[in-house]
């Protein structure tokens, strides 16, 4: 009997890993695309890892976009790791794409963040690529209709957010539109969180200006609409991650909707990240639940935040070690016009979790 239960559990885990909830962010595996792959022929699309058939079709019909989407996958991974470097869950499992652990295969708040960030990243990267002239199918964003004000004028090259959102959503949402993959609840959750990511990107659009005038007087400012850096969008989404709402799939009228589990008298807000399943505490290593644990993670002895040794190490304690740091020092300015520096070494004490 025990052997039969073990067998059924193994089969279940196998099915989860094959058709798990992380199917729609498997495209982040594009970050591993070899630089020697030019992506200038339609047959290259089948060589790309992590794509569903509809994304392969989009690749074939939009070859000029693919290098930009590869770059978006790399930016999403790098930005996620940076944003969570001070947390118990440090987004390290994103690098396993397309073979995720259960922290991203299940409908956790961690998967909610990654879906939102990846949706924002692809639209952000495409919008910026239009501005730099790297995409033949688009150019600068439109000039705003409103007057910028006295001493200001519209000019420069705005980030083409509209095109970025259109093409980004078409590619990143494609797996959620496949009928035979995932449950309706999971699809609704992923589509919602992806849209939250795009909303955060829209909110990051701001006016940027360059000064003109005699002797730097800045009597006239040429302005355009530009996006904040992806790391700033990620910090906004991290705040939403920390206050994410747990939801359930419940009948309301003639259809089922995702509603807050504890406050189901109100609808889900368009700006909040949502999740279906609770996360582990990520303190101890347990790959069955997608936890790498925090053993050997570096912590900050003087911090009171999430990177503090008390919180990061989950009360297990920490070990000190000495680290040699090499840095520039004794810098001198030489007329004209360069700086020379020496290299100095110093020993600093660092700490890692037990």
């Amino acid at each position: 009997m025990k052997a039969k239960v073990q067998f059924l559990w193994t089969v279940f885990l196998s099915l989860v890993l094959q058709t798990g909830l992380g199917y729609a962010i498997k495209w982040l595996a594009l970050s591993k695309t070899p630089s020697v792959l030019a992506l200038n022929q339609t047959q290259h699309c089948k060589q790309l890892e992590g794509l569903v058939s509809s994304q392969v079709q989009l690749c074939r019909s939009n070859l000029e976009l693919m290098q930009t989407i590869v770059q978006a996958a790399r930016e999403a991974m790098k930005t996620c790791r940076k944003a969570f470097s001070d947390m118990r869950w440090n987004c390290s499992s994103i690098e396993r794409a397309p073979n995720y652990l259960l922290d991203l295969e299940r409908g956790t708040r961690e998967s909610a963040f990654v879906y939102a960030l990846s949706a924002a990243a692809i639209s952000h990267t495409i919008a910026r690529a239009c501005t730099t002239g790297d995409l033949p199918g688009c150019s600068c964003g439109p000039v705003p209709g409103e007057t910028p004000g006295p001493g200001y004028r519209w000019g420069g090259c705005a980030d083409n957010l509209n095109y970025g959102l259109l093409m980004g959503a078409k590619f990143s949402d494609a797996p959620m539109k496949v009928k035979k993959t995932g449950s309706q609840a999971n699809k609704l959750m992923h589509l919602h969180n992806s849209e939250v990511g795009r909303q955060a990107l829209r909110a990051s659009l701001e006016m940027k200006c360059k000064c003109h005038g005699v002797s730097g007087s800045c009597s006239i400012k040429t302005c355009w609409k530009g996006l904040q850096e992806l790391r700033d969008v990620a910090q906004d989404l991290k705040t939403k991650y920390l206050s994410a709402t747990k939801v359930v799939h419940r009948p309301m009228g003639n259809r089922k909707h995702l509603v807050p589990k504890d406050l189901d008298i109100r609808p889900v807000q368009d700006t909040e990240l949502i999740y279906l399943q609770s996360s582990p505490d990520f303190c101890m290593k347990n790959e069955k639940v997608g936890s790498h644990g925090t053993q050997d993670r570096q912590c900050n002895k003087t911090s009171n935040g999430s990177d503090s040794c008390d919180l990061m190490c989950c009360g297990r304690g920490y070990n000190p070690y000495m680290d040699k740091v090499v840095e520039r020092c004794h810098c001198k300015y030489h007329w004209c016009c360069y700086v020379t520096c020496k290299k100095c070494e110093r020993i600093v004490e660092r700490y890692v979790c037990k």
Side-chain angles (χ1 to χ4, degrees):
M1 182 65 182
K2 186 177 180 180
K4 184 178 180 181
V5 170
Q6 184 64 40
F7 172 76
L8 290 173
W9 176 246
T10 303
V11 170
F12 169 74
L13 280 180
S14 175
L15 288 171
V16 167
L17 293 175
Q18 290 175 37
T19 61
L21 311 190
Y23 61 88
I25 47 171
K26 288 184 183 294
W27 69 269
L28 292 177
L30 291 177
S31 62
K32 303 171 185 176
T33 303
S35 55
V36 293
L37 191 61
L39 293 177
N40 57 5
Q41 298 179 36
T42 54
Q43 58 262 38
H44 291 157
C45 295
K46 277 197 170 182
Q47 300 176 38
L48 297 175
E49 196 174 10
L51 303 188
V52 298
S53 58
S54 52
Q55 286 173 320
V56 173
Q57 291 301 323
L58 284 168
C59 170
R60 287 172 175 161
S61 56
N62 297 275
L63 268 177
E64 72 283 354
L65 269 180
M66 293 313 297
Q67 287 292 358
T68 302
I69 293 175
V70 167
Q71 181 60 28
R74 291 172 181 155
E75 288 297 317
M77 287 197 166
K78 180 176 71 175
T79 303
C80 188
R81 291 298 308 270
K82 181 71 175 175
F84 282 83
S85 60
D86 61 343
M87 303 281 287
R88 290 176 182 173
W89 182 78
N90 65 351
C91 200
S92 57
S93 54
I94 197 173
E95 295 178 354
R96 296 176 64 99
N99 302 310
Y100 297 114
L101 296 174
L102 291 183
D103 57 334
L104 296 181
E105 281 287 345
R106 298 163 69 230
T108 61
R109 68 170 71 216
E110 288 73 34
S111 72
F113 176 85
V114 173
Y115 270 82
L117 177 64
S118 58
I122 190 170
S123 292
H124 184 279
T125 310
I126 292 173
R128 283 278 178 89
C130 292
T131 304
T132 56
D134 292 332
L135 290 176
C138 61
S139 57
C140 303
V143 177
E146 71 271 16
T147 304
Y152 294 81
R153 67 186 182 191
W154 294 121
C157 185
D159 288 331
N160 198 333
L161 180 58
N162 290 339
Y163 188 81
L165 291 171
L166 175 67
M167 300 307 295
K170 188 178 290 189
F171 188 88
S172 63
D173 287 358
M176 277 91 83
K177 307 275 176 79
V178 179
K179 290 183 179 180
K180 294 182 180 180
T181 55
S183 69
Q184 184 64 15
N186 298 329
K187 288 181 180 179
L188 289 174
M189 176 185 62
H190 294 328
L191 286 169
H192 173 93
N193 289 327
S194 296
E195 185 55 35
V196 171
R198 287 188 283 268
Q199 282 192 25
L201 185 64
R202 289 187 192 95
S204 79
L205 194 67
E206 60 186 6
M207 190 164 78
K208 299 183 177 183
C209 299
K210 183 178 180 180
C211 282
H212 305 279
V214 180
S215 302
S217 64
C218 203
S219 56
I220 298 176
K221 293 181 181 178
T222 298
C223 304
W224 61 94
K225 290 293 183 78
L227 294 167
Q228 294 177 16
E229 297 302 317
L230 186 61
R231 62 176 177 270
D232 299 317
V233 179
Q235 285 303 313
D236 181 23
L237 291 174
K238 184 179 178 181
T239 301
K240 296 178 186 297
Y241 159 89
L242 293 171
S243 60
T245 301
K246 190 171 187 178
V247 295
V248 292
H249 200 212
R250 183 165 296 170
M252 293 183 69
N254 297 325
R255 298 168 59 184
K256 280 188 172 183
H257 296 268
L258 294 176
V259 295
K261 185 176 186 296
D262 298 322
L263 296 168
D264 57 10
I265 56 173
R266 71 163 176 84
V268 169
Q269 303 298 308
D270 292 339
T271 55
E272 65 183 332
L273 290 178
I274 58 174
Y275 64 100
L276 285 163
Q277 293 171 289
S278 299
S279 307
D281 61 14
F282 297 110
C283 283
M284 305 301 293
K285 186 173 183 178
N286 184 348
E287 293 204 355
K288 284 185 178 179
V289 296
S291 174
H292 291 283
T294 61
Q295 185 178 2
D296 296 328
R297 285 278 304 277
Q298 192 165 301
C299 63
N300 187 339
K301 186 180 178 181
T302 60
S303 172
N304 292 318
S306 57
D307 63 338
S308 69
C309 288
D310 185 42
L311 288 177
M312 183 67 74
C313 303
C314 307
R316 299 189 307 269
Y318 51 90
N319 292 318
Y321 72 97
M322 309 310 290
D323 190 22
K324 183 171 71 175
V325 177
V326 179
E327 54 193 7
R328 298 172 72 194
C329 61
H330 306 303
C331 296
K332 291 183 179 180
Y333 174 75
H334 299 269
W335 183 266
C336 172
C337 300
Y338 64 96
V339 176
T340 59
C341 298
K342 293 182 179 180
K343 287 185 177 180
C344 295
E345 293 183 359
R346 64 186 180 95
I347 304 297
V348 297
E349 188 174 44
R350 302 193 191 280
Y351 307 91
V352 293
C353 296
K354 290 183 179 180

